[in-house]
Amino acid sequence: MERTIRSVEDVLKMLDHPFRSPDQFWDPFYTDREKAVPFFKNAPDENLVSYCARGLIKPGKAMDLGCGPGRNSLYLAQQGFDVAGCDISGTAIQWARERAEEKGLNIRFECKSVFEIHSEGEYDLVYDSGCLHHLLPHRRIQYLEMVSRALKPKGFFGITCFRPGFGDQGGPVREMSDWDVYQEGTMNGGLAFSEEKIKYLLEPFFKCIEFRASEVPDHDESFGVPFLWASLWRKKKS
C-alpha cells in the first residue's frame, strides 16, 4: 500500500516524491572542504554575534538547525550555551564534530532531518542559518510547528534566509511563488522570500524582535552577505 494516501504524512511524501532527496545533494556538497563556499568559513553569522553582544539572547539551551560544519554551534557554545546541532548531511556533521573537538567544545551533533526532532519546550533558542529556504513549501507548516513546540515559553527563534534580487551576488536568480515550485518541479537552489512573505509565514507563531538585511562585516571573525535576511523572533503564547 506504498502509494495509498491514508494520512497527512502520506500526502507530504507524495509531494516530496518528484523532487531530489536533500541528502543526495548535501553530502557531496560538503565533501570538498576547500571549495570556495562563503559559509564554509568557520565564523558565526554577524547577526547572531550582534544578538549576543547586545544581550537580546542570553546563554541557555540552544538548537542549531541545518548546522552544516557547525560554525554557529561552536560560537554559541563559546558564549556559554548548551548546544545541540543537527544536519541531514553526515559529511557536514563529521566536519562539525572535528571542529568542536579541536576547540575542546562539548556539542551534541546529530545527523538527522529537522522533521525527526520531537522536542517539547526544551530550548531557549532555536537558530536556523539557511535551512528554511531549502525546504519545500508543503513542509513549512510542519517545520514551524516543530520550532514552536521545541521552544520554551518566550523562547527565541533566529533565522537567516534568502532575499530576492541578488542573483548576481550568489542568491537565487529570481523570486518564485510557492505554486511555481510545483509547476516547474524545482526550487532552483533555494527560495527567496520578500519581507512581507517571511513575516506572513512566521507571525502566527512568533513576534518579530528585529528584522534587517545581513551585513557584510569588516573583519573575518563573523559572516554576513547582502543576499540574506537576518531576523530574531520570540515565541508567542500557545
Side-chain angles (χ1 to χ4, degrees), residues 4 14 31 45 57 83 91 132 146 170 183 216 225:
T4 300
M14 179 189 69
T31 298
D45 289 342
I57 56 175
V83 185
T91 305
L132 177 65
M146 177 277 292
Q183 289 170 351
V216 179
V225 287

Side-chain angles (χ1 to χ4, degrees), residues 91-111:
T91 305
I93 289 295
Q94 180 58 37
W95 190 0
R97 287 172 177 161
E98 290 173 18
R99 282 178 166 179
E101 186 175 353
E102 288 172 3
K103 297 286 187 182
L105 297 172
N106 182 22
I107 301 172
R108 300 179 305 282
F109 286 115
E110 293 186 88
C111 179

Side-chain angles (χ1 to χ4, degrees), residues 3-29:
R3 297 200 169 194
T4 300
I5 293 176
R6 194 174 66 173
S7 67
V8 172
E9 184 59 28
D10 292 333
V11 175
L12 296 177
K13 288 179 179 178
M14 179 189 69
L15 292 171
D16 288 340
H17 183 71
F19 297 89
R20 176 184 59 200
S21 172
D23 54 349
Q24 291 176 329
F25 175 82
W26 291 111
D27 270 335
F29 180 82

Side-chain angles (χ1 to χ4, degrees), residues 59-63 81-83 108 122-126 152:
K61 196 166 184 180
M63 176 166 56
F81 285 82
D82 176 9
V83 185
R108 300 179 305 282
E122 186 176 352
Y123 293 96
D124 300 284
L125 170 69
V126 172
K152 294 178 181 179

Side-chain angles (χ1 to χ4, degrees), residues 161-166 169 171 213-216 223-229:
C161 61
F162 286 141
R163 296 173 66 194
F166 289 85
Q169 298 184 39
S214 174
E215 298 174 355
V216 179
F223 169 81
V225 287
F227 54 79
L228 293 175
W229 292 120

Side-chain angles (χ1 to χ4, degrees), residues 47-190:
N47 56 294
L48 183 59
V49 174
S50 175
Y51 302 152
C52 289
R54 289 181 287 151
L56 293 180
I57 56 175
K58 301 182 186 300
K61 196 166 184 180
M63 176 166 56
D64 185 9
L65 300 174
C67 65
R71 58 191 182 84
N72 289 309
S73 295
L74 269 65
Y75 173 76
L76 288 169
Q78 290 169 327
Q79 302 309 304
F81 285 82
D82 176 9
V83 185
C86 74
D87 198 282
I88 200 166
S89 168
T91 305
I93 289 295
Q94 180 58 37
W95 190 0
R97 287 172 177 161
E98 290 173 18
R99 282 178 166 179
E101 186 175 353
E102 288 172 3
K103 297 286 187 182
L105 297 172
N106 182 22
I107 301 172
R108 300 179 305 282
F109 286 115
E110 293 186 88
C111 179
K112 63 181 178 182
S113 162
V114 293
F115 304 116
E116 296 174 297
I117 297 169
H118 304 290
S119 298
E120 297 281 347
E122 186 176 352
Y123 293 96
D124 300 284
L125 170 69
V126 172
Y127 193 70
D128 170 350
S129 183
C131 181
L132 177 65
H133 59 217
H134 289 299
L135 298 181
L136 287 161
H138 65 272
R139 288 287 182 176
R140 282 193 213 123
I141 303 167
Q142 188 181 6
Y143 168 87
L144 292 170
E145 288 177 346
M146 177 277 292
V147 173
S148 182
R149 279 197 312 271
L151 285 169
K152 294 178 181 179
K154 297 185 178 180
F156 289 96
F157 177 42
I159 181 171
T160 67
C161 61
F162 286 141
R163 296 173 66 194
F166 289 85
D168 60 334
Q169 298 184 39
V173 174
R174 66 184 177 91
E175 184 177 5
M176 301 177 71
S177 75
D178 292 344
W179 285 34
D180 289 339
V181 172
Y182 300 98
Q183 289 170 351
E184 298 178 22
T186 180
M187 291 198 295
N188 288 323

